[in-house]
Amino acid sequence: MPDPLREEQPLTVHHLNQLLLVCSLVLLIAVAAVRISSRSGLPSLLLYLGIGVAMGQDGIGNVSFSNAELTQVIGYAALVVILAEGGLGTKWKEIKPALPAAVALSLAGVAVSVGVTAAGAHYLVGLEWRQALIIGAVVSSTDAAAVFSVLRKVPLPSRVTGVLEAESGFNDAPVVILVVAFSTAGPVEHWYVLVGEIALELAIGAAIGIAVGWLGAFGLRRVALPASGLYPIAVMAIAVTAYAAGAMAHGSGFLAVYLASMVLGNAKLPHWPATRGFAEGLGWIAQIGMFVLLGLLVTPHDLADDFWPAIVIGLVLTMVARPLEVFFSLVPFRMPWQEKALMSWAGLRGAVPIILATIPMVNGIEDNRRIFNIVFVLVVVYTLVQGPTLPWLARELRLGSDSSASDLGIESAPLERLRGHLLSVSIPEKSRMHGVEVSELRMPVGAAVTLVVRDEKSFVPMPTTVLRRGDELLVVATDPVRDEAEARLRAVAQGGKLAGWLTGHGAPGRGRRGRGAS
């Protein structure tokens, strides 16, 4: 009987229907897996990889898939979306103090990690130096998807979260350069040439990312699109443009898309909650597709021979290389040892190392399948260990954050012809705006609460109307005070009715200095 997976057949509507059915079932199973992941504390990537393995060889689906080049291309595309979603959700005020430390981890830290891990792979496992260096470089990249998905569920200090998130967005560029260099036939370039290439690509990617993000935010805030649904599409298109422009300019496209998205995410764009939700949905789809495809690429019965080498290399990476990387790179920064210890344990690996392990496969490096298998086992085993234990370690080190103030949901729509803005404000459960009267908001002149929606009923509020959790407010603000009005609302949401009187921010008569309350 002919195998339809191996023989070329004309594509028909029937085949398309079958493909759509399989894809929809996989997505439904993956969405159900999110619930399991949130309950168990496991990073979702393990469940998605499991779905791919179950569908592939040795699994119930018995699908034969071995196209490493296609996996690499799709993985890169998915990573662009994941980095864009992560950048859009990164708050500049949290990540700004962490930038120097994140850059140090992404440059000096990667060098330490590659050297120590490669030495362990060579002397303890017996790999040739080229294969050892490739593995050392591949596993030195922390994964954005794994870091974002786990850290945002763990109440850590903002400095720790900022360093780890920025590191996961920055360290892809030097690692990709090293993996490509080590996977190229012939002698490896001198170390100073690699350092120069890394610095140049980072500089080009950073410049293009910031420029594209700023121009995109400038345009979106001044052009009223005909439909609110176009704003999320435009934001993601700008982010992808940053990646393409950075890559074509021989810079770091990954760094460009992350920085462009971060600029857009902090620019107070119109219809921001809808844009954020759209980006999160695309990020989930990218993760699901990427991890399932990587699971299909692996052959489970081939992993047994490489299991213990992967465990040994993982021990070197986790217990020696990563702590040395963190403590060595952060010497110039005054950080408590508890924070450094947590960051040493929180260097999560995920799909990025597995995707990078396809580079030697595509380039035909000797023992490339073994490299892939070792990386796959290492990522699965140590993510399974590190992810669930991270909250416990944070509590033991007394680094948990007790912040209970929920962020205020504010959506802005430009009223271009009226030179104003319509702010839709949602009051979350733990907001301190609960119990505050409308007059106690002390909105700047030129802004007013015009409508309140409560229990699916809307009414025009009086100055004495008391706001409640779950309320939705409609605020009209003129162009000059739009930012001040939003800052004032956020200040009250975090500090209650006394916000401004005690802190000096947002008090009446202080003009535009109230923006500092946000």
Side-chain angles (χ1 to χ4, degrees):
M1 181 176 179
D3 186 352
L5 293 175
R6 299 182 181 277
E7 294 187 3
E8 294 185 3
Q9 295 183 345
L11 181 64
T12 65
V13 175
H14 179 66
H15 293 145
L16 179 61
N17 292 339
Q18 289 180 324
L19 179 62
L20 291 176
L21 176 62
V22 171
C23 291
S24 61
L25 288 175
V26 171
L27 283 175
L28 288 174
I29 295 172
V31 170
V34 174
R35 182 64 175 173
I36 300 174
S37 173
S38 61
R39 282 178 173 270
S40 63
L42 294 175
S44 55
L45 71 93
L46 295 179
L47 298 175
Y48 302 149
L49 283 172
I51 293 173
V53 172
M55 292 174 57
Q57 298 183 57
D58 300 342
I60 56 177
N62 198 28
V63 176
S64 178
F65 179 78
S66 59
N67 194 330
E69 188 171 1
L70 177 62
T71 303
Q72 181 182 325
V73 171
I74 295 178
Y76 274 31
L79 186 58
V80 169
V81 176
I82 293 169
L83 285 171
E85 189 272 328
L88 291 173
T90 299
K91 296 181 179 179
W92 172 247
K93 64 181 180 181
E94 293 182 359
I95 203 174
K96 181 180 178 181
L99 283 179
V103 171
L105 278 174
S106 302
L107 296 177
V110 164
V112 172
S113 179
V114 172
V116 174
T117 306
H122 176 71
Y123 291 111
L124 298 180
V125 178
L127 293 177
E128 295 292 333
W129 270 115
R130 182 181 291 274
Q131 285 77 13
L133 286 170
I134 291 174
I135 290 180
V138 164
V139 299
S140 294
S141 174
T142 55
D143 183 68
V147 171
F148 295 150
S149 65
V150 173
L151 290 186
R152 290 178 183 175
K153 300 175 185 177
V154 182
L156 297 177
S158 59
R159 177 168 61 176
V160 175
T161 303
V163 171
L164 291 172
E165 289 195 3
E167 179 200 9
S168 69
F170 293 163
N171 63 12
D172 291 328
V175 167
V176 169
I177 295 172
L178 290 175
V179 175
V180 171
F182 297 149
S183 301
T184 302
V188 179
E189 293 184 274
H190 296 293
W191 65 268
Y192 52 84
V193 176
L194 292 179
V195 171
E197 288 184 1
I198 291 171
L200 181 60
E201 288 203 16
L202 286 174
I204 294 174
I208 290 178
I210 294 173
V212 171
W214 186 86
L215 290 173
F218 180 85
L220 288 176
R221 294 193 65 178
R222 285 159 178 79
V223 176
L225 298 178
S228 60
L230 293 176
Y231 284 92
I233 298 174
V235 168
M236 293 305 296
I238 293 170
V240 175
T241 299
Y243 170 79
M248 293 178 66
H250 301 289
S252 172
F254 293 136
L255 180 60
V257 67
Y258 181 72
L259 290 180
S261 301
M262 189 167 63
V263 172
L264 291 168
N266 290 272
K268 299 178 182 178
L269 300 178
H271 304 289
W272 177 244
T275 301
R276 188 77 186 94
F278 179 78
E280 287 181 354
L282 283 183
W284 279 112
I285 292 176
Q287 287 188 52
I288 292 169
M290 177 172 58
F291 294 142
V292 170
L293 195 61
L294 290 171
L296 282 173
L297 188 62
V298 72
T299 305
H301 67 260
D302 290 341
L303 299 178
D305 294 337
D306 298 314
F307 180 81
W308 288 113
I311 297 299
V312 172
I313 295 174
L315 279 174
V316 174
L317 172 67
T318 306
M319 307 306 294
V320 182
R322 177 65 182 180
L324 285 177
E325 170 189 357
V326 171
F327 282 85
F328 175 78
S329 302
L330 300 183
V331 166
F333 307 96
R334 295 181 179 178
M335 299 181 69
W337 70 267
Q338 293 93 335
E339 293 186 1
K340 293 180 180 178
L342 186 66
M343 285 191 281
S344 298
W345 190 248
L348 301 178
R349 272 73 190 174
V352 173
I354 303 176
I355 292 171
L356 295 180
T358 62
I359 294 177
M361 296 177 69
V362 173
N363 290 352
I365 294 296
E366 185 180 356
D367 287 337
N368 59 76
R369 175 56 71 170
R370 189 184 186 197
I371 293 173
F372 181 85
N373 290 341
I374 289 176
V375 172
F376 186 90
V377 173
L378 187 154
V379 168
V380 170
V381 171
Y382 286 93
T383 302
L384 187 62
V385 172
Q386 290 176 273
T389 57
L390 189 57
W392 170 83
L393 182 61
R395 289 192 299 269
E396 291 296 314
L397 294 174
R398 298 183 179 180
L399 291 176
S401 172
D402 295 326
S403 177
S404 60
S406 299
D407 194 18
L408 194 67
I410 299 181
E411 182 172 354
S412 173
L415 304 173
E416 188 176 29
R417 300 177 68 179
L418 301 179
R419 298 190 178 185
H421 290 265
L422 196 62
L423 306 180
S424 176
V425 182
S426 299
I427 303 179
E429 280 293 318
K430 297 182 180 180
S431 174
R432 298 188 66 180
M433 193 178 287
H434 173 77
V436 175
E437 295 183 2
V438 170
S439 61
E440 292 173 327
L441 292 175
R442 305 196 307 279
M443 300 294 290
V445 177
V449 180
T450 60
L451 196 70
V452 175
V453 179
R454 178 180 298 165
D455 299 329
E456 299 183 355
K457 295 180 180 179
S458 58
F459 60 92
V460 176
M462 301 291 290
T464 56
T465 298
V466 178
L467 302 177
R468 303 294 181 192
R469 60 176 61 92
D471 285 355
E472 294 187 15
L473 315 180
L474 204 61
V475 179
V476 175
T478 57
D479 255 344
V481 299
R482 182 251 184 245
D483 290 342
E484 186 180 353
E486 181 173 340
R488 180 62 199 160
L489 290 169
R490 294 191 184 278
V492 176
Q494 296 175 5
K497 64 178 70 177
L498 295 180
W501 295 114
L502 299 178
T503 64
H505 294 302
R510 291 185 181 272
R512 296 191 64 83
R513 281 182 291 176
R515 295 175 64 178
S518 60

